[in-house]
Amino acid sequence: MLDIVIAIVLGLLSLSILICTGRALIGPTMSDRIVALDTIGINLIGFIAILMIVQETAAYSDVVLLIAILAFIGSVAIAKFLEGGVVLDRGDS
């Protein structure tokens, strides 16, 4: 039973990543693309976590942590860019 559920979830996550990739490529706005890229990162985390369950290993936990950190930093940087056009504020002005 668990194998069927895992296969269905992996298929749905793959479909979601594919749809988000299309949204990231097509747009139409920059905000749509940003949300799509953030969603791809979250779906990748879930996909890798389920693969860890299937393979009964914790070997990919570092990869999951790295993807989560990069997705968070990317989201914050893009949000700052959209807010004011500057990613790194040096405090000069």
Side-chain angles (χ1 to χ4, degrees):
M1 181 69 181
L2 184 62
D3 294 336
I4 295 171
V5 172
I6 287 174
I8 291 171
V9 170
L10 286 176
L12 289 174
L13 283 173
S14 300
L15 181 66
S16 175
I17 290 171
L18 184 67
I19 291 171
C20 288
T21 302
R23 174 56 71 184
L25 293 175
I26 295 172
T29 66
M30 184 64 88
S31 298
D32 292 335
R33 292 181 174 146
I34 293 168
V35 170
L37 289 174
D38 199 34
T39 306
I40 288 171
I42 292 169
N43 285 334
L44 276 176
I45 291 169
F47 193 89
I48 294 171
I50 291 175
L51 283 180
M52 287 173 41
I53 292 171
V54 169
Q55 296 180 356
E56 296 179 359
T57 182
Y60 305 128
S61 60
D62 294 337
V63 175
V64 169
L65 184 63
L66 181 67
I67 290 173
I69 291 171
L70 289 176
F72 174 73
I73 291 172
S75 297
V76 170
I78 292 172
K80 278 195 76 164
F81 177 74
L82 286 178
E83 183 183 52
V86 177
V87 176
L88 296 175
D89 187 16
R90 297 183 180 164
D92 293 340
S93 56

